Amino acid sequence: MPKRQKKRYQSLPLNIGQPDIETPPSILDAVKHSDFKVLEYSHSAGNESYRKKLVEYYRKVGIDVTPEQIIVTTGGSEAILFGFMACMDAGDEVIIPEPFYANYNGFAVEAGVIVKPITSSIENGFALPPISAFEEAITPKTKAIVICNPNNPTGYLYSKEEMEVLKQVIVKHNLYLFADEAYREFFYEGTFTSAMHLKGVDDHVVLMDTISKRYSACGGRIGAFVTKNTALLNSVMKFAQARLSPPSFAQILGEAAIDLPDNYFDTTKAEYKLRRDIIVQRLNAMPGVFCPNPGGAFYAIAKLPIDDSDKFCQWLLEEFSYNNATVMLAPATGFYSTPGLGKQEVRLAYVLNATAIHAAMDCLEKALQQYHFK
Ligand SMILES: Cc1ncc(COP(=O)(O)O)c(C=O)c1O
């Protein structure tokens, strides 16, 4: 007797931020055609040729830095970790608007620092909490604020006015502003304001950057720690030296990326915007569902008529299918630090093409009709 096959469904993954957009072939070619005799360590701050090219890239997005103000890192992740470790002592506090990118928790644990969340709300699209919320959260132990713009997981694009509010807070309380701009290119309306565009706060601002999403190059593991604060650069260099060097091959890829045509992002942005429009329209058309229109990145958070997003997402995978498919979503509970929040919310990453997104939304619509709180 043949063994009974477990029924397999196609799962439509909207749960993680792995872009499906092709990595530009020309930048992969640059790596393929490199001809080392020895694959050496690079300079601990990254190849000078790459840092010089990065200066050109940053100039194009209105950020004026020198090669000496850039330390190339192993992904944006290492830039964040370096920032936490260099700017804070064990027991210090960092304020982060929640919901936030869940890995900040891991970096905080590694650096021995405490995350103090201030809650943003789906009702106003996850706008920056009011200045009073920051004031209430600040203690003598507070050393920094993290702002992820455009935001993962909310997709919220912070306005110039909101960035100016943050400037006021960091100046008044002498804090660092850690700006995670992993999704800088992906905004669909209005303008993007970098923390590096703020005037007069050079010693406060730390940019945590990455090529992962910009060029669909997550596996390259290349990021950058950028600041004009010389003392901070010197201490981060010690961490950079202790881990020897960032990846050599992917620095070649990163360097080649800066020669992509200026209109490179137009197609990618248009594709993400199309997907965003579909997902937001489809979600809001479902009874009891609310999804604010995210201004950037490739994420949306939706409020669903459910009791517990963890249970619901598990049920989707284990017990539900429609047209031989199911949808994978991320429960929003994992992005909140305050216990109990996010139970009715899920994050959707629009990293599938329009047809697959429609199929995923068909699944979700049917699932919400069938799901009974248990
Ligand atoms: C907001 C944010 N910061 C940092 C990272 C990590 O980037 P990297 O792949 O460069 O380590 C991610 C990855 O998803 C992210 O979404």
Side-chain angles (χ1 to χ4, degrees):
M1 276 273 283
K3 257 194 178 166
R4 215 173 132 212
Q5 289 269 307
K6 205 173 169 213
K7 214 169 186 178
R8 282 190 187 278
Y9 300 120
Q10 184 200 5
S11 55
L12 297 158
L14 297 180
N15 57 320
I16 56 165
Q18 170 58 60
D20 63 323
I21 304 284
E22 222 184 75
T23 312
S26 66
I27 73 172
L28 292 169
D29 282 349
V31 177
K32 284 182 201 151
H33 299 144
S34 56
D35 63 345
F36 306 109
K37 295 275 179 288
V38 176
L39 185 60
E40 295 178 323
Y41 293 119
S42 75
H43 190 291
S44 295
N47 291 332
E48 194 185 7
S49 58
Y50 179 37
R51 285 181 287 125
K52 282 186 168 157
K53 279 295 235 191
L54 273 172
V55 168
E56 280 177 37
Y57 160 76
Y58 285 123
R59 195 174 302 131
K60 284 186 198 165
V61 292
I63 297 174
D64 179 27
V65 285
T66 66
E68 295 70 37
Q69 292 166 337
I70 301 171
I71 295 175
V72 178
T73 53
T74 307
S77 302
E78 191 180 59
I80 301 165
L81 181 60
F82 280 177
F84 278 23
M85 292 196 304
C87 298
M88 295 185 274
D89 291 322
D92 282 343
E93 295 169 359
V94 55
I95 295 177
I96 318 182
E98 66 176 353
F100 58 77
Y101 175 55
N103 282 350
Y104 295 146
N105 286 318
F107 305 132
V109 168
E110 285 177 71
V113 302
I114 295 153
V115 173
K116 286 290 228 37
I118 54 173
T119 307
S120 64
S121 161
I122 195 167
E123 310 307 332
N124 63 1
F126 299 105
L128 193 73
I131 205 161
S132 56
F134 286 92
E135 296 283 358
E136 278 162 30
I138 290 170
T139 75
K141 290 267 182 202
T142 309
K143 292 286 151 54
I145 296 172
V146 175
I147 197 75
C148 176
N149 187 28
N151 191 274
N152 175 13
T154 65
Y156 188 77
L157 177 69
Y158 293 95
S159 66
K160 184 163 188 315
E161 291 69 31
E162 287 171 309
M163 295 305 291
E164 289 293 336
V165 166
L166 286 171
K167 173 175 154 177
Q168 252 177 278
V169 179
I170 57 166
V171 170
K172 180 171 171 198
H173 297 277
N174 192 24
L175 306 176
Y176 288 105
L177 179 59
F178 295 146
D180 182 341
E181 299 182 358
Y183 301 90
R184 179 182 300 110
E185 273 68 26
F186 307 130
F187 60 96
Y188 311 115
E189 281 91 27
T191 51
F192 165 73
T193 305
S194 168
M196 282 271 176
H197 296 158
L198 299 173
K199 301 268 180 265
V201 280
D202 286 358
D203 277 350
H204 297 258
V205 173
V206 178
L207 183 62
M208 285 135 168
D209 210 1
T210 171
I211 67 166
S212 288
K213 316 289 161 151
R214 189 146 83 222
Y215 309 113
S216 284
C218 298
R221 309 308 304 132
I222 287 289
F225 179 97
V226 187
T227 184
K228 296 187 180 186
N229 181 326
T230 313
L232 179 54
L233 277 166
N234 290 341
S235 38
V236 169
M237 251 326 266
K238 298 210 166 48
F239 289 109
Q241 283 161 338
R243 63 77 161 109
L244 305 178
S245 82
S248 293
F249 270 131
Q251 288 186 70
I252 296 170
L253 179 139
E255 195 170 324
I258 292 156
D259 287 329
L260 286 166
D262 282 349
N263 65 0
Y264 165 71
F265 294 108
D266 295 354
T267 327
T268 315
K269 260 175 87 162
E271 174 63 22
Y272 283 138
K273 182 177 185 303
L274 172 82
R275 296 171 180 191
R276 181 209 56 176
D277 291 345
I278 295 170
I279 214 162
V280 171
Q281 190 274 326
R282 289 288 314 262
L283 285 164
N284 284 313
M286 296 177 202
V289 175
F290 171 59
C291 178
N293 194 28
F298 40 69
Y299 305 100
I301 289 196
K303 189 170 182 184
L304 307 181
I306 54 172
D307 57 339
D308 182 326
S309 51
D310 287 275
K311 275 201 281 179
F312 177 66
C313 292
Q314 189 172 351
W315 175 85
L316 282 172
L317 296 180
E318 291 180 352
E319 294 182 45
F320 173 80
S321 76
Y322 174 65
N323 282 343
N324 286 324
T326 190
V327 55
M328 292 171 81
L329 306 172
T333 46
F335 302 109
Y336 285 91
S337 188
T338 304
L341 294 185
K343 275 182 172 290
Q344 287 193 297
E345 296 169 15
V346 292
R347 186 197 69 175
L348 306 95
Y350 37 97
V351 290
L352 299 178
N353 65 31
T355 311
I357 286 178
H358 274 299
M361 292 301 99
D362 291 344
C363 275
L364 181 60
E365 194 165 18
K366 276 278 175 290
L368 288 171
Q369 287 163 10
Q370 284 180 26
Y371 184 68
H372 299 294
F373 300 172
K374 289 167 196 178

Short mmCIF file of all heavy atoms in Angstrom, two decimals, residues 17 74-78 80 101 103-104 107 148 150-152 180 182-183 209-213 218 221-223 299 347, ligand 1:
data_model
loop_
_atom_site.label_atom_id
_atom_site.label_comp_id
_atom_site.label_asym_id
_atom_site.label_seq_id
_atom_site.Cartn_x
_atom_site.Cartn_y
_atom_site.Cartn_z
N GLY A 17 9.81 39.79 4.76
CA GLY A 17 10.23 40.86 3.86
C GLY A 17 11.35 40.46 2.92
O GLY A 17 12.32 41.19 2.75
N THR A 74 28.21 44.35 7.94
CA THR A 74 27.64 43.09 7.47
C THR A 74 26.12 43.19 7.61
O THR A 74 25.54 42.81 8.63
CB THR A 74 28.22 41.92 8.30
OG1 THR A 74 29.65 42.02 8.26
CG2 THR A 74 27.80 40.58 7.73
N GLY A 75 25.51 43.78 6.61
CA GLY A 75 24.07 44.04 6.64
C GLY A 75 23.76 45.26 7.49
O GLY A 75 24.60 45.74 8.27
N GLY A 76 22.53 45.73 7.33
CA GLY A 76 22.05 46.81 8.20
C GLY A 76 22.02 46.31 9.64
O GLY A 76 22.17 47.08 10.59
N SER A 77 21.82 45.01 9.80
CA SER A 77 21.73 44.42 11.15
C SER A 77 22.97 44.77 11.97
O SER A 77 22.86 45.15 13.14
CB SER A 77 21.61 42.90 11.05
OG SER A 77 20.48 42.56 10.30
N GLU A 78 24.14 44.62 11.36
CA GLU A 78 25.36 44.89 12.12
C GLU A 78 25.50 46.39 12.42
O GLU A 78 26.00 46.78 13.48
CB GLU A 78 26.60 44.40 11.36
CG GLU A 78 27.85 44.43 12.22
CD GLU A 78 29.09 43.93 11.48
OE1 GLU A 78 29.45 44.52 10.43
OE2 GLU A 78 29.69 42.95 11.94
N ILE A 80 23.06 48.39 13.08
CA ILE A 80 22.17 48.66 14.22
C ILE A 80 22.84 48.17 15.51
O ILE A 80 22.90 48.88 16.52
CB ILE A 80 20.80 47.99 14.03
CG1 ILE A 80 20.12 48.50 12.75
CG2 ILE A 80 19.89 48.22 15.23
CD1 ILE A 80 18.95 47.67 12.26
N TYR A 101 10.22 46.84 14.02
CA TYR A 101 10.97 45.71 13.45
C TYR A 101 11.46 44.83 14.61
O TYR A 101 12.25 45.30 15.44
CB TYR A 101 12.12 46.27 12.61
CG TYR A 101 13.07 45.25 12.04
CD1 TYR A 101 12.62 44.19 11.25
CD2 TYR A 101 14.45 45.36 12.25
CE1 TYR A 101 13.51 43.27 10.72
CE2 TYR A 101 15.34 44.45 11.72
CZ TYR A 101 14.87 43.40 10.95
OH TYR A 101 15.76 42.50 10.42
N ASN A 103 13.50 42.51 15.18
CA ASN A 103 14.90 42.21 15.49
C ASN A 103 15.58 43.27 16.35
O ASN A 103 16.64 43.02 16.90
CB ASN A 103 15.70 41.98 14.20
CG ASN A 103 15.45 40.59 13.64
OD1 ASN A 103 14.84 39.76 14.29
ND2 ASN A 103 15.92 40.35 12.43
N TYR A 104 14.97 44.47 16.47
CA TYR A 104 15.55 45.45 17.40
C TYR A 104 15.63 44.85 18.80
O TYR A 104 16.54 45.17 19.57
CB TYR A 104 14.72 46.74 17.46
CG TYR A 104 14.66 47.55 16.17
CD1 TYR A 104 13.50 48.25 15.82
CD2 TYR A 104 15.75 47.63 15.31
CE1 TYR A 104 13.43 49.01 14.66
CE2 TYR A 104 15.68 48.38 14.14
CZ TYR A 104 14.52 49.06 13.83
OH TYR A 104 14.45 49.80 12.68
N PHE A 107 18.87 42.87 19.03
CA PHE A 107 20.06 43.74 19.14
C PHE A 107 20.13 44.36 20.54
O PHE A 107 21.22 44.51 21.11
CB PHE A 107 20.03 44.85 18.08
CG PHE A 107 19.88 44.33 16.66
CD1 PHE A 107 18.94 44.88 15.79
CD2 PHE A 107 20.67 43.29 16.20
CE1 PHE A 107 18.79 44.40 14.50
CE2 PHE A 107 20.53 42.80 14.90
CZ PHE A 107 19.59 43.36 14.05
N CYS A 148 12.41 54.12 12.16
CA CYS A 148 12.56 53.35 10.93
C CYS A 148 11.66 54.01 9.90
O CYS A 148 10.44 54.02 10.04
CB CYS A 148 12.15 51.91 11.18
SG CYS A 148 12.18 50.90 9.70
N PRO A 150 11.05 54.74 5.56
CA PRO A 150 9.69 54.27 5.79
C PRO A 150 9.72 53.05 6.69
O PRO A 150 10.70 52.32 6.72
CB PRO A 150 9.19 53.92 4.39
CG PRO A 150 10.12 54.57 3.42
CD PRO A 150 11.42 54.70 4.12
N ASN A 151 8.60 52.83 7.37
CA ASN A 151 8.61 51.91 8.48
C ASN A 151 8.34 50.46 8.11
O ASN A 151 7.46 50.16 7.32
CB ASN A 151 7.57 52.39 9.50
CG ASN A 151 7.68 51.68 10.82
OD1 ASN A 151 7.11 50.62 11.00
ND2 ASN A 151 8.42 52.25 11.74
N ASN A 152 9.10 49.59 8.71
CA ASN A 152 8.75 48.19 8.80
C ASN A 152 8.38 47.99 10.27
O ASN A 152 9.19 48.35 11.12
CB ASN A 152 9.95 47.31 8.44
CG ASN A 152 9.66 45.83 8.65
OD1 ASN A 152 8.53 45.43 8.84
ND2 ASN A 152 10.72 45.02 8.61
N ASP A 180 16.91 54.09 10.84
CA ASP A 180 16.97 52.89 10.02
C ASP A 180 16.23 53.20 8.73
O ASP A 180 15.00 53.31 8.72
CB ASP A 180 16.33 51.73 10.80
CG ASP A 180 16.38 50.41 10.05
OD1 ASP A 180 16.58 50.42 8.82
OD2 ASP A 180 16.20 49.37 10.70
N ALA A 182 16.30 51.46 5.76
CA ALA A 182 16.45 50.30 4.86
C ALA A 182 15.57 50.41 3.62
O ALA A 182 15.88 49.84 2.58
CB ALA A 182 16.11 49.02 5.63
N TYR A 183 14.46 51.16 3.74
CA TYR A 183 13.49 51.22 2.63
C TYR A 183 13.45 52.61 1.99
O TYR A 183 12.43 53.01 1.42
CB TYR A 183 12.10 50.82 3.16
CG TYR A 183 12.11 49.43 3.74
CD1 TYR A 183 12.39 49.23 5.10
CD2 TYR A 183 11.91 48.31 2.95
CE1 TYR A 183 12.46 47.95 5.64
CE2 TYR A 183 11.96 47.03 3.48
CZ TYR A 183 12.23 46.86 4.82
OH TYR A 183 12.30 45.59 5.34
N ASP A 209 22.08 51.73 7.49
CA ASP A 209 21.67 51.55 6.10
C ASP A 209 21.95 50.12 5.63
O ASP A 209 22.72 49.40 6.25
CB ASP A 209 22.42 52.57 5.23
CG ASP A 209 21.61 52.96 4.01
OD1 ASP A 209 20.48 52.47 3.85
OD2 ASP A 209 22.11 53.77 3.21
N THR A 210 21.35 49.78 4.51
CA THR A 210 21.55 48.43 3.95
C THR A 210 21.22 48.42 2.46
O THR A 210 20.37 49.19 2.01
CB THR A 210 20.66 47.40 4.67
OG1 THR A 210 20.72 46.15 3.98
CG2 THR A 210 19.20 47.84 4.75
N ILE A 211 21.90 47.52 1.73
CA ILE A 211 21.54 47.35 0.32
C ILE A 211 20.50 46.23 0.14
O ILE A 211 20.04 45.97 -0.96
CB ILE A 211 22.77 47.04 -0.57
CG1 ILE A 211 23.38 45.65 -0.25
CG2 ILE A 211 23.83 48.13 -0.43
CD1 ILE A 211 24.36 45.16 -1.32
N SER A 212 20.14 45.57 1.25
CA SER A 212 19.30 44.36 1.17
C SER A 212 18.02 44.58 0.37
O SER A 212 17.69 43.80 -0.53
CB SER A 212 18.93 43.88 2.57
OG SER A 212 20.03 43.31 3.20
N LYS A 213 17.29 45.63 0.71
CA LYS A 213 15.98 45.84 0.07
C LYS A 213 16.13 46.71 -1.17
O LYS A 213 15.42 46.55 -2.16
CB LYS A 213 15.00 46.48 1.06
CG LYS A 213 15.03 45.89 2.45
CD LYS A 213 14.45 44.49 2.53
CE LYS A 213 14.93 43.79 3.79
NZ LYS A 213 14.05 42.80 4.35
N CYS A 218 19.45 40.89 -0.32
CA CYS A 218 19.50 40.55 1.11
C CYS A 218 20.67 39.61 1.44
O CYS A 218 21.27 39.71 2.51
CB CYS A 218 18.20 39.89 1.54
SG CYS A 218 16.76 40.95 1.35
N ARG A 221 24.58 40.69 2.36
CA ARG A 221 24.94 41.06 3.72
C ARG A 221 25.83 42.30 3.75
O ARG A 221 26.92 42.28 4.31
CB ARG A 221 25.61 39.90 4.49
CG ARG A 221 24.88 38.57 4.46
CD ARG A 221 23.44 38.66 4.87
NE ARG A 221 23.21 39.25 6.17
CZ ARG A 221 22.30 40.21 6.39
NH1 ARG A 221 21.54 40.68 5.39
NH2 ARG A 221 22.13 40.70 7.58
N ILE A 222 25.37 43.35 3.10
CA ILE A 222 26.12 44.60 3.11
C ILE A 222 25.23 45.73 3.59
O ILE A 222 24.11 45.93 3.10
CB ILE A 222 26.64 44.93 1.68
CG1 ILE A 222 27.78 44.00 1.30
CG2 ILE A 222 27.13 46.38 1.60
CD1 ILE A 222 29.10 44.22 2.04
N GLY A 223 25.74 46.45 4.56
CA GLY A 223 25.04 47.63 5.06
C GLY A 223 26.04 48.73 5.32
O GLY A 223 27.20 48.66 4.88
N TYR A 299 5.22 46.97 3.19
CA TYR A 299 4.44 46.32 4.25
C TYR A 299 3.14 47.08 4.48
O TYR A 299 3.08 48.30 4.28
CB TYR A 299 5.21 46.31 5.56
CG TYR A 299 6.57 45.68 5.46
CD1 TYR A 299 7.73 46.47 5.34
CD2 TYR A 299 6.71 44.29 5.48
CE1 TYR A 299 8.97 45.89 5.23
CE2 TYR A 299 7.96 43.71 5.37
CZ TYR A 299 9.10 44.51 5.24
OH TYR A 299 10.33 43.93 5.13
N ARG A 347 0.64 41.66 9.83
CA ARG A 347 1.43 42.39 8.84
C ARG A 347 1.49 41.59 7.55
O ARG A 347 1.67 40.38 7.57
CB ARG A 347 2.87 42.61 9.34
CG ARG A 347 3.66 43.51 8.38
CD ARG A 347 5.16 43.43 8.60
NE ARG A 347 5.70 42.14 8.20
CZ ARG A 347 7.01 41.86 8.19
NH1 ARG A 347 7.89 42.75 8.59
NH2 ARG A 347 7.42 40.65 7.82
C1 LIG B 1 13.76 47.86 9.13
C2 LIG B 1 14.83 46.89 8.87
N1 LIG B 1 16.06 47.14 9.32
C3 LIG B 1 17.06 46.28 9.13
C4 LIG B 1 16.86 45.09 8.46
C5 LIG B 1 17.99 44.14 8.30
O1 LIG B 1 18.67 44.41 7.15
P1 LIG B 1 19.91 43.54 6.66
O2 LIG B 1 19.40 42.45 5.79
O3 LIG B 1 20.70 44.51 5.87
O4 LIG B 1 20.65 43.06 7.86
C6 LIG B 1 15.59 44.79 7.96
C7 LIG B 1 15.34 43.52 7.27
O5 LIG B 1 14.23 43.11 7.05
C8 LIG B 1 14.56 45.71 8.17
O6 LIG B 1 13.32 45.48 7.72
#
